[in-house]
Amino acid sequence: MAEPHILIAVDSFKGSMTSVEAGEAIRRGLAEGLASLGINASFDVVPIADGGEGTVDAFHAALGGELVRLSCRGPLGDPVPSTFLLLPGGKTAVIEMAASCGLPLVKGREDILHSDTFGLGQQILAALDRQPDKILVGIGGSATNDGGAGMARALGVRFLDAMGRELSTTPAELANLHAVDFSGLDTRVRRPRFEVMCDVDNPLLGPSGAAATFAPQKGADPEW
């Protein structure tokens, strides 16, 4: 009987296990179970992702490239280690929003009114330094619900109240938003093509909107 070869490709378990960790746990369990039956097997563990955590790992496992490490501001403002991937040739950057704004970074501290996506903007700025032609952004698994305002602020956009004072970009502050000033936007964002990766098609608002559907898992209650 030929030795079986088993392919394991499993997505992450949101907030608890990465795709790599889950795949390795399955590999160990299968290997032990088969060994108890006298069966030797070989395995390939291939990470996969849906635009959330593990997206960069999946691209890197499949295509290689250079992992670029940086420190970003996390969803609640504390510094977090992050990465993005430059695919071979350096013309395409792959960014995982969950690496700077993800739910695992605030586990047990979820606070949707006081979190934002500033860290994602910092990832984009770091990618722009490498002058790619295309930037792929996976937007799943975030702990935020600021409509990308924090990202825009990191890129130079200013959010102003009725008195012209600059606001932070947490939802609590954005309740006082009166005007948006794009004059300071980093002009480098016009060079690459941006593509967003996600596995849902929810609009922003309404009963099936992104806010109503995903905000509860980020710490919001029905009143919010």
Side-chain angles (χ1 to χ4, degrees):
M1 178 180 175
E3 177 183 284
H5 182 74
I6 298 173
L7 170 66
I8 301 171
V10 57
D11 200 354
S12 62
F13 287 41
K14 187 180 296 292
S16 58
M17 299 179 76
T18 67
S19 174
V20 173
E21 291 168 342
E24 181 58 23
I26 292 169
R27 184 200 66 77
R28 288 197 306 269
L30 283 175
E32 292 172 6
L34 291 171
S36 70
L37 300 173
I39 301 172
N40 292 317
S42 59
F43 298 87
D44 276 329
V45 179
V46 178
I48 62 173
D50 60 2
E53 57 261 38
T55 295
V56 162
D57 287 340
F59 270 88
H60 190 238
L63 301 174
E66 178 189 356
L67 286 170
V68 181
R69 306 188 187 281
L70 65 150
S71 177
C72 291
R73 196 173 83 182
L76 295 176
D78 47 328
V80 298
S82 184
T83 61
F84 68 90
L85 174 66
L86 276 177
L87 293 181
K91 297 300 184 183
T92 299
V94 183
I95 292 174
E96 177 185 312
M97 182 180 182
S100 62
C101 312
L103 278 168
L105 300 174
V106 296
K107 195 170 184 179
R109 301 182 296 142
E110 294 86 352
D111 187 349
I112 197 167
L113 290 181
H114 298 95
S115 58
D116 71 2
T117 55
F118 194 90
L120 173 59
Q122 292 177 306
Q123 288 176 288
I124 292 172
L125 285 172
L128 290 172
D129 288 341
R130 306 299 288 267
Q131 299 183 327
D133 293 331
K134 181 186 292 186
I135 297 180
L136 306 178
V137 184
I139 62 169
S142 80
T144 56
N145 200 57
D146 67 350
M151 172 198 68
R153 184 172 179 233
L155 294 171
V157 178
R158 298 171 68 234
F159 295 81
L160 309 173
D161 68 11
M163 301 295 292
R165 295 171 296 205
E166 186 168 1
L167 301 168
S168 78
T169 41
T170 64
E173 284 272 306
L174 290 174
N176 298 312
L177 180 63
H178 179 74
V180 181
D181 176 8
F182 288 90
S183 63
L185 177 65
D186 193 318
T187 58
R188 295 178 299 166
V189 300
R190 297 187 175 94
R191 181 181 183 275
R193 173 184 174 87
F194 283 83
E195 294 184 9
V196 172
M197 300 180 291
C198 66
D199 63 347
V200 299
D201 59 1
N202 302 75
L204 177 60
L205 302 175
S208 62
T213 303
F214 300 111
Q217 64 185 227
K218 308 169 196 284
D221 62 28
E223 180 182 347
W224 294 349

